[in-house]
Amino acid sequence: KAGVTQTPRYLIKTRGQQVTLSCSPISGHRSVSWYQQTPGQGLQFLFEYFSETQRNKGNFPGRFSGRQFSNSRSEMNVSTLELGDSALYLCASSSVAGGLETQYFGPGTRLLVL
Amino acid sequence: AQTVTQSQPEMSVQEAETVTLSCTYDTSESDYYLFWYKQPPSRQMILVIRQEAYKQQNATENRFSVNFQKAAKSFSLKISDSQLGDAAMYFCAYRLTGANSKLTFGKGITLSVRP
């Protein structure tokens, strides 16, 4: 099976712009979670989608949003970018929501905001 | 709110030796899961080992084992016979049971392996 894929891998934007990141889960996985990783804050949970529904949300401002499509692919959007949004954005997929199932991570999208 | 603390930012181990990475967590819940994830430089994060809180027996995966002390809220990872490929950032993570739970990560620890 192919692993979790994320596009693009690298992105440079300027303040005030918006960005959309994409995540394709492992085939058959219906849960997709998003995380932000920065040197200062570490890994922080953004949100989780399962069967096109947002199941859980972290403590991020409304500028961060996401959605999941019927094929389980997920997109994350950040509007009005700020310098502090520079980070590695990771998505992870799993076969079910919650529980002990393993989350498989993608390689991440590295976003730089200038 | 649940928190996960990894107090050692960096550790180093000699190849073939054993190293223990520490993790403590804070929760008022009794049913949860604990994980150790490995993130090699510029590579994808992978699950190393996981532990269900209701199990008293410590989890083991080949050279990796944990010391789970539920009362002390401690979850350390022991790596035996360290290899150069073990060099990575290691994250301890916590997750409640239930469909609407989320992974809470510690800040991570950078492990280097000396040849």
Side-chain angles (χ1 to χ4, degrees):
Chain A
K1 274 186 179 178
V4 179
T5 57
Q6 293 186 246
T7 56
R9 293 293 310 278
Y10 304 92
L11 207 49
I12 299 176
K13 292 285 187 179
T14 56
R15 279 181 298 175
Q17 286 187 309
Q18 76 164 18
V19 66
T20 298
L21 312 182
S22 180
C23 172
S24 292
I26 291 172
S27 178
H29 285 191
R30 295 164 63 191
S31 170
V32 173
S33 298
W34 287 90
Y35 298 86
Q36 182 196 64
Q37 185 176 17
T38 60
Q41 298 298 317
L43 276 154
Q44 293 185 286
F45 172 79
L46 281 155
F47 26 65
E48 178 187 7
Y49 285 87
F50 182 80
S51 294
E52 302 179 66
T53 301
Q54 188 180 88
R55 298 296 295 266
N56 207 344
K57 190 177 190 304
N59 297 323
F60 278 81
R63 300 185 296 107
F64 291 82
S65 63
R67 59 178 176 169
Q68 187 180 32
F69 302 95
S70 58
N71 61 358
S72 294
R73 189 178 70 85
S74 178
E75 286 183 348
M76 189 192 98
N77 185 75
V78 188
S79 61
T80 320
L81 283 165
E82 300 177 0
L83 296 180
D85 296 334
S86 294
L88 180 67
Y89 290 88
L90 297 170
C91 85
S93 77
S94 58
S95 55
V96 296
L100 189 60
E101 84 294 345
T102 297
Q103 285 198 325
Y104 295 87
F105 283 81
T109 293
R110 190 166 294 280
L111 172 66
L112 177 62
V113 182
L114 301 174
Chain B
Q2 292 79 24
T3 57
V4 178
T5 302
Q6 295 178 253
S7 56
Q8 309 150 302
E10 295 179 356
M11 284 196 76
S12 180
V13 63
Q14 190 75 35
E15 195 176 5
E17 296 294 308
T18 296
V19 64
T20 298
L21 311 183
S22 301
C23 172
T24 59
Y25 57 95
D26 185 27
T27 184
S28 57
E29 304 292 334
S30 60
D31 199 11
Y32 50 86
Y33 308 117
L34 295 164
F35 307 85
W36 277 98
Y37 280 89
K38 170 186 177 182
Q39 187 178 39
S42 303
R43 295 183 63 184
Q44 289 174 236
M45 189 170 314
I46 58 173
L47 178 68
V48 175
I49 199 166
R50 60 191 181 197
Q51 173 83 42
E52 296 115 301
Y54 68 86
K55 287 187 177 180
Q56 291 186 328
Q57 187 173 7
N58 289 323
T60 300
E61 287 288 341
N62 301 313
R63 297 183 296 107
F64 299 88
S65 62
V66 299
N67 183 5
F68 173 48
Q69 302 289 328
K70 190 172 184 179
K73 296 179 184 175
S74 170
F75 183 61
S76 60
L77 174 69
K78 186 172 83 170
I79 306 175
S80 304
D81 185 26
S82 297
Q83 301 175 0
L84 295 178
D86 294 333
M89 196 146 187
Y90 287 81
F91 293 93
C92 177
Y94 163 100
R95 183 169 189 161
L96 277 173
T97 59
N100 291 333
S101 61
K102 63 179 184 179
L103 269 175
T104 299
F105 287 89
K107 289 289 180 78
I109 177 171
T110 300
L111 176 68
S112 58
V113 181
R114 305 186 302 274

